[in-house]
Amino acid sequence: MELEGITQEFEESLEELISKGNGKAGMVLVVGCSTSEILGNPIGKGGSLKLAHELYHAAREVAKKHKLILAAQCCEHLNRALVVEEKAMEKFGWQQVTVMPVEHAGGAWATEAYSQLSHPVVVEEIRADLGIDIGQTLIGMHLKRVAVPVRLSRKMLGKAVITAAYTRPPLIGGARAQYPDKKLR
């Protein structure tokens, strides 16, 4: 599949997640993306900065359109830390760590995010409202406590598995509890 087609499918998957997860301005969207897996290589073995560039540009535009805060997850070599704008880190009180992702320590996706942001920082952990995982990068650790799986129409991006979720507040109180009629997010 050509780069343009992959990028278009990625945009469509992001839009579908935002729609199904009732994405709203100010929410945090975490994206984990293995360009290696998209290209049919084992995770961490054969990524592409060119592909990461195209995909990050697409994700940034979708996030901007919906006024979402985009967080790009690094690979396991940086403990799945996240690249975000400094303003987002300050707003949410996230803990900054000292590192700069590079292609083979952080991954192509995070390296591209770091190079594209105005004031990039790397943070150790977040609690995101929405998440999409391309290539089984394990973003779950960065979602709020109650994640709701989203069944996207597309199951694969290139050769990579797509997994998505939104979050909702925990339901508490048991059998006698009452809940608002409105849909929880």
Side-chain angles (χ1 to χ4, degrees):
M1 173 173 268
E2 65 184 52
L3 193 59
E4 188 177 306
I6 290 172
T7 302
Q8 179 64 36
E9 288 183 4
F10 182 54
E11 284 180 39
E12 290 168 1
S13 295
L14 286 170
E15 289 287 354
E16 185 178 1
L17 167 61
I18 293 164
S19 174
K20 288 183 174 181
N22 296 311
K24 295 173 183 53
M27 287 183 168
V28 179
L29 168 64
V30 61
V31 178
C33 180
S34 170
T35 58
S36 299
E37 289 281 331
I38 292 170
L39 296 171
N41 301 314
I43 196 165
K45 309 281 186 208
S48 165
L49 287 170
K50 182 178 180 181
L51 176 57
H53 176 79
E54 295 301 319
L55 295 177
Y56 187 78
H57 177 75
R60 186 179 62 203
E61 291 304 308
V62 170
K64 184 179 176 181
K65 172 181 162 188
H66 294 280
K67 298 181 171 120
L68 301 174
I69 296 162
L70 181 60
Q73 182 180 274
C74 297
C75 75
E76 70 177 297
H77 296 100
L78 296 186
N79 297 328
R80 293 189 173 81
L82 304 117
V83 178
V84 297
E85 275 289 0
E86 186 175 32
K87 289 186 298 189
M89 176 193 70
E90 291 168 352
K91 175 181 178 181
F92 292 101
W94 295 328
Q95 177 64 52
Q96 183 175 0
V97 293
T98 305
V99 72
M100 181 180 81
V102 293
E103 188 175 6
H104 298 291
W109 169 253
T111 300
E112 183 60 27
Y114 196 89
S115 74
Q116 292 297 316
L117 292 173
S118 302
H119 298 95
V121 294
V122 179
V123 299
E124 196 165 25
E125 61 183 333
I126 65 171
R127 291 290 169 243
D129 303 287
L130 303 160
I132 192 163
D133 185 322
I134 311 296
Q136 299 177 322
T137 63
L138 303 176
I139 63 162
M141 64 196 294
H142 296 301
L143 293 172
K144 288 181 179 173
R145 196 166 74 95
V146 182
V148 179
V150 175
R151 304 288 183 242
L152 299 176
S153 344
R154 180 170 289 107
K155 306 291 183 226
M156 306 285 287
L157 184 65
K159 304 281 185 184
V161 174
I162 299 175
T163 307
Y166 66 89
T167 63
R168 64 159 177 77
L171 300 174
I172 63 170
R176 293 186 290 174
Q178 295 182 14
Y179 304 106
D181 289 334
K182 67 179 182 171
K183 178 183 177 201
L184 293 174
R185 221 195 296 203

